[in-house]
Amino acid sequence: MNIDLSPMWISLKTASVATLFAFLLGVLAARWMMGYRRWGKGLIDGLLTAPLVLPPTVVGFLLLLLLGKKGIIGQVIMKFDFTVIFTWYATVIAATVVAFPLMYKTALGAFKQIDPNLLASAKTLGASEWTIFRRVLLPLAKPGLIAGILLSFARALGEFGATLMLAGSIPGKTQTIPIAIFFAAESGDMDKALGWVGIILAISLSVVIGVNYWTENQDLLVKYRQILPLCWQKRPKRLKGQAATIAKRLKNFPVSSDTIELDVQIHKKLANFTLDVAFKTLQTPLGLLGSSGAGKSLILRCIAGLETPDKGRIVLNGRVLFDSGAGINLPPQQRHVGYVFQNYALFPHLTVAQNIAFGLPKHLSSLKVRQIVEKQLIDIQLAELIHRYPHELSGGQQQRIALARALASKPDILLLDEPFSALDTYLRDTLEKLLRNRLTHYQGVTLFVTHNLEEAYRVCPHLLILQKGKILIKGTKQGIFENPTLFDVARITGCRNFSRISPVNSKNQVTAIDWGCQLSLPPENSVSSASYIGIRAHQIMFPTLEPSNVFSQANTFDCWVTAASETQHRITLYLKLNSPPTSPHDYHLQAEVFKEKWVVLQTYPFPWQVQLQPQRLMLLQHSAESSLSFPTSTEYSNRAKYDV
């Protein structure tokens, strides 16, 4: 007895070809929709996924309208003496159409799960959109894409309604297994129908088992490759070949001019505030300091080309990166920027060596690429980790690799977006020293974003203080800390003691309203435009500990300690002036002393003597952008307690 197996071969052939088309079209559509930002995105997405929710017979009917003799496409192809209806091509088209939405949606979901900083990092390293798609998106989305292929194959294999309407049931030509099952059951041949059901189940299970087996073996291969201690020379074909490929794919970076300078003028309106800044900086590292949401990271992203200002101009070393008036907006790939992201944005599917080599220009030979990678790793003291993957590295090691990758191509500007925020204290100190050493030899502009006051002071000779998208002040770190001039600048730079002031008869004396005392000022100070007075906690002195002739008597008051807060090196004292405190929240000032001084100081009876030296007092103006209203004395004391 001869058994006709043509439905099985037709189904396998149709499902395989349809899956291939669905994969190609679905992945490309998902990539396009991922970056689509114009009107009608929801409508387009709905049209692309419509075959997933429409009944198969409706899909088949719509395909008949398009591909039939009177259809728009059908009339065109008939001119070439070609027909689609009731052919094997019709089975492929029907299966592709119904399988496409599954592939598209799965691929889109997989792409959206990828960290956007990885894509941004690839752009700043000079990778083209095609390179990003091929070397970042596809490898990282591989598990989701495999799931999409599996679902698409299963859907194409089981397609019935649309295929029957468009291709019919021609034995040996268009009759697939689902159609064969239908007609066998309709004619009462249940054994035949059951046999085809068993075959389609066996095929589907084989696909699932095969994919699972392949995935598990890929995981074992990756683990084996990560554990095996291979050196560069022992993997010449793989690593050197990839290095050569990387070296060939990018355009040569433009050569910087002799002048090392960044000129930024950008305006960008956001939902919560408007970024409106203008500044210039030379080679000396510039620290961008401000509270969260001040616009620090947004400035870096605008310079890198990851965000587009509404208007303005960005010029780096005489080269215009952005000019809204002239219509210039270079893509990130052409800006020659080194960017270290807050989460480092290392490519998880690439080794340390491949991460560092990713952004190197194309004119370099594979030997030169290898030399650059090895030198970068030696400079950061991680040469032994050349074949590791990011997930095998500690946070500090990842940070160093990210810095090495950013500097490998010798960018014109280095953008550091809070690179130490995720590290513990010891690692921060260690890597901060390494960064300062690297910046000493770096020939380019450096912008360092941080909200850590001490970190900014140690790394950057110059600071720019931001608040709500506006620049409050820019200058040397010493000048800003010693003379902040604005209330918000003093607050952002760590001052905790403020009081409203009112002048008295003498031009060199003021009444500190919230501290309940009169203060003498240096003769050269003018209080005409000042609204507040402040003093930093570590600059408050205690004459009690010193011989009486060391201090003048200016601005010396009795004080009592309301509370004390301890760190590993210092004690913060909450002081009430002129009278004992009435509650734990009743205090005027916060003072900081080293523990050695505290051990001696606490042996003295109250009241102690405290001095606010005139030359240490800061006269401050109200910031135009400040949204803070100054509290009353009691409210300020309460607020200060919770600001510690």
Side-chain angles (χ1 to χ4, degrees):
M1 175 179 169
N2 294 327
I3 300 176
D4 183 13
L5 296 178
S6 63
M8 182 178 69
W9 304 122
I10 293 172
S11 292
L12 289 175
K13 184 170 65 170
T14 300
S16 299
V17 175
T19 301
L20 176 61
F21 284 129
F23 172 77
L24 295 175
L25 296 175
V27 168
L28 292 176
R31 179 66 185 98
W32 180 70
M33 284 296 290
M34 185 181 174
Y36 188 77
R37 295 292 183 272
R38 299 179 183 177
W39 180 87
K41 183 174 182 177
L43 176 61
I44 297 173
D45 184 75
L47 292 174
L48 292 176
T49 55
L52 187 64
V53 296
L54 291 175
T57 51
V58 174
V59 175
F61 178 75
L62 293 175
L63 289 174
L64 276 176
L65 292 180
L66 288 173
L67 301 172
K69 294 182 179 180
K70 296 182 179 181
I72 298 174
I73 300 176
Q75 291 180 3
V76 173
I77 61 177
M78 283 186 66
K79 293 180 180 180
F80 298 93
D81 195 24
F82 183 77
T83 183
V84 172
I85 305 301
F86 301 122
T87 66
W88 177 75
Y89 302 108
T91 65
V92 174
I93 292 172
T96 301
V97 170
V98 297
F100 167 82
L102 287 171
M103 189 68 239
Y104 160 69
K105 274 299 190 182
T106 307
L108 184 61
F111 290 160
K112 287 183 176 180
Q113 291 297 317
I114 297 173
D115 184 357
N117 282 337
L118 294 176
L119 308 183
S121 177
K123 290 179 181 179
T124 62
L125 290 168
S128 65
E129 291 297 332
W130 167 245
T131 300
I132 294 172
F133 177 70
R134 179 174 57 88
R135 298 205 65 231
V136 179
L137 271 177
L138 288 182
L140 293 180
K142 183 169 65 175
L145 297 180
I146 291 174
I149 291 172
L150 177 62
L151 291 172
S152 299
F153 183 86
R155 183 68 184 87
L157 189 67
E159 168 50 31
F160 170 74
T163 302
L164 186 61
M165 292 197 68
L166 190 65
S169 178
I170 304 175
K173 188 175 181 181
T174 65
Q175 189 181 65
T176 59
I177 293 178
I179 296 175
I181 294 172
F182 173 77
F183 282 103
E186 190 177 55
S187 63
D189 192 350
M190 301 306 293
D191 291 337
K192 186 177 181 181
L194 186 60
W196 284 123
V197 169
I199 290 175
I200 199 169
L201 282 175
I203 294 173
S204 300
L205 289 175
S206 298
V207 171
V208 173
I209 293 171
V211 170
N212 289 338
Y213 178 79
W214 179 85
T215 304
E216 290 173 1
N217 278 274
Q218 283 294 108
D219 293 340
L220 291 174
L221 179 61
V222 170
K223 292 178 181 178
Y224 175 75
R225 187 176 59 194
Q226 293 167 356
I227 295 172
L228 193 63
L230 296 177
C231 65
W232 184 289
Q233 290 80 4
K234 290 185 180 179
R235 297 199 300 177
K237 292 183 178 179
R238 182 171 181 268
L239 195 53
K240 289 184 180 179
Q242 288 184 353
T245 301
I246 294 168
K248 290 179 180 177
R249 84 184 165 19
L250 295 178
K251 291 183 178 181
N252 196 358
F253 289 118
V255 179
S256 301
S257 64
D258 294 335
T259 303
I260 300 176
E261 181 184 60
L262 174 68
D263 185 358
V264 175
Q265 303 171 44
I266 51 180
H267 178 94
K268 184 174 180 64
K269 187 173 180 59
L270 301 173
N272 299 326
F273 68 92
T274 298
L275 179 68
D276 192 1
V277 297
F279 65 90
K280 292 183 179 181
T281 184
L282 301 176
Q283 184 177 352
T284 306
L286 175 66
L288 274 59
L289 191 64
S291 56
S292 298
K296 307 184 297 295
S297 297
L298 183 57
I299 292 175
L300 298 196
R301 295 182 68 85
C302 287
I303 294 172
L306 303 175
E307 298 282 350
T308 302
D310 298 331
K311 59 182 179 179
R313 196 165 187 263
I314 303 173
V315 181
L316 177 60
N317 300 340
R319 190 164 60 102
V320 178
L321 306 183
F322 173 79
D323 191 325
S324 57
I328 298 173
N329 185 20
L330 295 184
Q333 292 88 340
Q334 298 179 20
R335 298 198 179 195
H336 203 194
V337 168
Y339 204 128
V340 178
F341 292 82
Q342 188 171 348
N343 65 347
Y344 316 134
L346 296 177
F347 304 119
H349 61 297
L350 301 182
T351 65
V352 165
Q354 293 163 345
N355 264 281
I356 296 175
F358 192 93
L360 296 179
K362 74 170 188 177
H363 68 274
L364 300 178
S365 66
S366 58
L367 177 61
K368 185 63 176 177
V369 169
R370 168 186 167 183
Q371 291 172 344
I372 291 174
V373 170
E374 290 178 343
K375 183 181 184 304
Q376 289 292 330
L377 288 171
I378 291 172
D379 288 344
I380 61 174
Q381 302 171 10
L382 292 178
E384 72 281 3
L385 303 181
I386 189 169
H387 300 307
R388 296 283 184 88
Y389 286 80
H391 73 271
E392 297 180 289
L393 307 177
S394 67
Q397 290 169 338
Q398 290 186 38
Q399 192 275 342
R400 280 187 273 178
I401 298 301
L403 179 61
R405 183 181 66 179
L407 291 173
S409 59
K410 298 182 180 179
D412 292 335
I413 182 170
L414 180 62
L415 307 176
L416 305 167
D417 191 0
E418 300 196 34
F420 307 134
S421 61
L423 305 178
D424 59 45
T425 304
Y426 175 76
L427 280 178
R428 289 173 78 106
D429 181 65
T430 302
L431 297 179
E432 188 184 298
K433 292 176 182 176
L434 183 144
L435 175 63
R436 292 200 302 268
N437 180 62
R438 295 302 302 273
L439 293 182
T440 301
H441 305 286
Y442 171 60
Q443 299 296 317
V445 177
T446 301
L447 296 187
F448 180 75
V449 164
T450 181
H451 62 267
N452 186 297
L453 181 66
E454 296 180 357
E455 190 173 89
Y457 199 93
R458 290 190 296 264
V459 174
C460 303
H462 293 82
L463 298 177
L464 186 150
I465 310 296
L466 286 162
Q467 180 172 281
K468 294 184 179 179
K470 303 294 188 297
I471 296 176
L472 296 179
I473 194 172
K474 178 181 179 292
T476 65
K477 59 185 179 183
Q478 295 88 353
I480 290 176
F481 275 82
E482 293 174 5
N483 185 27
T485 69
L486 296 176
F487 171 81
D488 285 316
V489 174
R491 180 177 56 83
I492 292 172
T493 56
C495 185
R496 303 175 185 176
N497 301 308
F498 301 100
S499 175
R500 294 168 296 173
I501 58 173
S502 62
V504 295
N505 295 331
S506 172
K507 66 178 182 178
N508 297 116
Q509 282 193 327
V510 295
T511 298
I513 299 172
D514 298 282
W515 297 343
C517 62
Q518 284 193 357
L519 299 171
S520 298
L521 304 175
E524 65 274 11
N525 284 13
S526 173
V527 299
S528 58
S529 60
S531 303
Y532 313 114
I533 199 165
I535 187 169
R536 299 191 185 276
H538 69 278
Q539 293 178 336
I540 294 176
M541 310 302 293
F542 291 91
T544 302
L545 295 176
E546 306 292 346
S548 59
N549 60 350
V550 174
F551 294 91
S552 67
Q553 295 301 309
N555 302 340
T556 300
F557 309 99
D558 290 341
C559 72
W560 284 257
V561 175
T562 300
S565 176
E566 180 180 8
T567 64
Q568 64 269 39
H569 303 299
R570 295 174 179 260
I571 299 291
T572 299
L573 303 176
Y574 301 88
L575 306 176
K576 175 70 180 297
L577 302 182
N578 299 325
S579 63
T582 58
S583 73
H585 309 307
D586 183 18
Y587 58 88
H588 296 118
L589 300 168
Q590 295 182 43
E592 285 186 353
V593 297
F594 285 107
K595 286 189 174 181
E596 294 80 2
K597 184 178 287 189
W598 167 244
V599 171
V600 178
L601 189 59
Q602 65 181 331
T603 63
Y604 287 88
F606 292 115
W608 296 345
Q609 292 286 296
V610 65
Q611 185 181 33
L612 312 181
Q613 291 183 306
Q615 63 270 29
R616 300 293 190 182
L617 293 170
M618 301 179 294
L619 292 173
L620 306 168
Q621 301 175 29
H622 185 72
S623 306
E625 293 299 321
S626 175
S627 61
L628 297 177
S629 57
F630 207 80
T632 64
S633 179
T634 302
E635 291 172 339
Y636 176 76
S637 297
N638 290 338
R639 178 182 292 176
K641 178 178 186 298
Y642 296 108
D643 284 345
V644 177

